[in-house]
Amino acid sequence: MNNTQDINAPIRILLLGSGTEVGSSLLQLSTEKKEFEWLCPEESLLLDVDKRAELDAMQFDVIIDALSLRYALQSDYGNFQSTLRYLSEKNDAPLIMISSARVFSGSKNVPYAEIDVPDSTDPYAQALIEAELIVLNNPENIVLRTGWLFSGQGDDFVCRTLGLIQDGVNLAYKDDLIGSPTPVSDLVRVILSMVNQGHYGAKNKGVYHYCCAEEISWIRLVEAIVATSGQFDPKAQVEVEAIGDSFPEAQEVTAMQRQSLSCRKIFNHFGIKQRPWRSKLRNLVKELYQVS
């Protein structure tokens, strides 16, 4: 990242997608960190090729794409990809794109490594794969793939599940996924560490993976949310059922898709260790019950 003459100057970060789950958490969790200065353009600016002079006028040391994770299925995502290409080709500042384990088909029986080629044909994954290729065309950029994110804010899976539990609704899901739940706050920790290390001389570029330790199936994750809820609400007694359990004779054998990631490379290059997700889930559920 850019060398600065003033070692006390903050790192100026152009944040694409400041209103997203990851973007807002980056801003919120770095409020007390004076070493970062955030530039947050409106999404409309990022989608309009005629307004790129406004981006050019901004002075920044690094770019974070927190928008693609949420925006990849939007009809005008191609416009945003054009902006990613423009910012990457300018080469004035490295770009960190936050991507997803969903770029993989899930057919591998072990966690995916950075050397594995994305192979999912899902439209969301295809959009992310295309954006990754744009970003990685600049060898100074980074793609950081992550797992199943949860934050307890907005239309979050944990929030939705807790709402159903409080309403006494029994839960039914297909049990065909294995992944690694990851609190957004933990992902923010990782992103800021990478930004800091890169700004002060680390030469690590390319693809990295980060998710929390411990794989779990989708159904077991739901059961973990229900069990955690029971610690704070004795009435949280709902059933969790795998779709097809009621009619096993009609159930097709479904191969489990593994949406989990190997995180050895990010530890070897940045010294970033995986953290457990269960304690974060418990704290989050406790906070949500206290405010409900």
Side-chain angles (χ1 to χ4, degrees):
M1 298 181 186
N2 292 351
N3 293 321
T4 177
Q5 297 299 318
D6 182 2
I7 62 172
N8 296 314
I11 305 171
R12 292 172 61 85
I13 304 173
L14 181 66
L15 178 59
L16 314 179
S18 58
T20 65
E21 187 178 38
V22 174
S24 59
S25 294
L26 278 165
L27 296 175
Q28 178 184 352
L29 297 175
S30 64
T31 302
E32 304 300 323
K33 298 181 182 295
K34 303 305 180 185
E35 65 267 36
F36 302 114
E37 180 179 340
W38 298 92
L39 306 173
C40 303
E42 297 288 335
E43 286 185 15
S44 58
L45 174 60
L46 304 176
L47 300 173
D48 191 342
V49 66
D50 295 325
K51 294 185 178 180
R52 286 185 178 158
E54 296 181 40
L55 286 178
D56 290 339
M58 299 179 182
Q59 300 295 317
F60 43 84
D61 302 302
V62 61
I63 308 159
I64 297 175
D65 169 21
L67 187 62
S68 287
L69 272 183
R70 190 193 72 181
Y71 211 73
L73 279 180
Q74 299 298 314
S75 59
D76 53 356
Y77 184 59
N79 293 348
F80 180 66
Q81 288 179 330
S82 177
T83 298
L84 286 180
R85 181 177 289 106
Y86 176 75
L87 291 171
S88 294
E89 290 176 352
K90 280 176 62 67
N91 203 27
D92 292 336
L95 189 153
I96 301 174
M97 174 191 173
I98 314 303
S99 189
S100 170
R102 288 177 60 182
V103 298
F104 297 112
S105 65
S107 59
K108 196 175 179 182
N109 60 4
V110 295
Y112 284 90
E114 288 83 354
I115 61 173
D116 290 317
V117 178
D119 60 349
S120 175
T121 57
D122 175 79
Y124 174 80
Q126 286 287 303
L128 285 181
I129 291 169
E130 185 176 348
E132 284 188 5
L133 292 174
I134 291 171
V135 170
L136 293 172
N137 193 50
N138 182 338
E140 296 299 308
N141 290 344
I142 290 175
V143 167
L144 176 61
R145 300 187 185 120
T146 191
W148 298 342
L149 294 177
F150 66 90
S151 68
Q153 299 178 4
D155 190 29
D156 180 83
F157 175 72
V158 174
C159 285
R160 295 198 307 271
T161 303
L162 286 178
L164 294 172
I165 292 170
Q166 291 171 339
D167 291 340
V169 177
N170 289 335
L171 307 173
Y173 298 92
K174 290 184 66 176
D175 194 19
D176 60 352
L177 296 175
I178 295 175
S180 299
T182 303
V184 171
S185 59
D186 195 37
L187 179 65
V188 165
R189 169 186 70 92
V190 172
I191 295 170
L192 295 181
S193 178
M194 296 176 77
V195 167
N196 245 328
Q197 292 186 54
H199 187 73
Y200 292 107
K203 301 300 183 183
N204 306 320
K205 310 298 177 185
V207 179
Y208 289 90
H209 289 171
Y210 182 80
C211 57
C212 279
E214 186 191 348
E215 290 181 318
I216 194 170
S217 74
W218 192 254
I219 287 291
R220 296 293 176 262
L221 173 59
V222 175
E223 290 176 343
I225 297 172
V226 172
T228 306
S229 300
Q231 298 176 26
F232 308 104
D233 180 9
K235 295 179 292 185
Q237 303 290 333
V238 301
E239 298 293 328
V240 181
E241 181 182 22
I243 293 176
D245 281 356
S246 300
F247 306 98
E249 67 280 0
Q251 184 179 1
E252 296 181 3
V253 176
T254 303
M256 296 292 283
Q257 294 181 311
R258 179 169 260 102
Q259 295 181 338
S260 53
L261 303 168
S262 170
C263 301
R264 287 191 294 269
K265 181 180 175 182
I266 200 168
F267 173 70
N268 291 336
H269 288 197
F270 287 95
I272 294 173
K273 297 181 179 179
Q274 289 178 282
R275 290 182 175 177
W277 54 266
R278 288 185 183 271
S279 57
K280 284 284 189 180
L281 177 65
R282 185 184 186 281
N283 293 338
L284 175 59
V285 172
K286 180 180 179 180
E287 291 173 7
L288 291 174
Y289 269 102
Q290 287 175 340
V291 299
S292 62

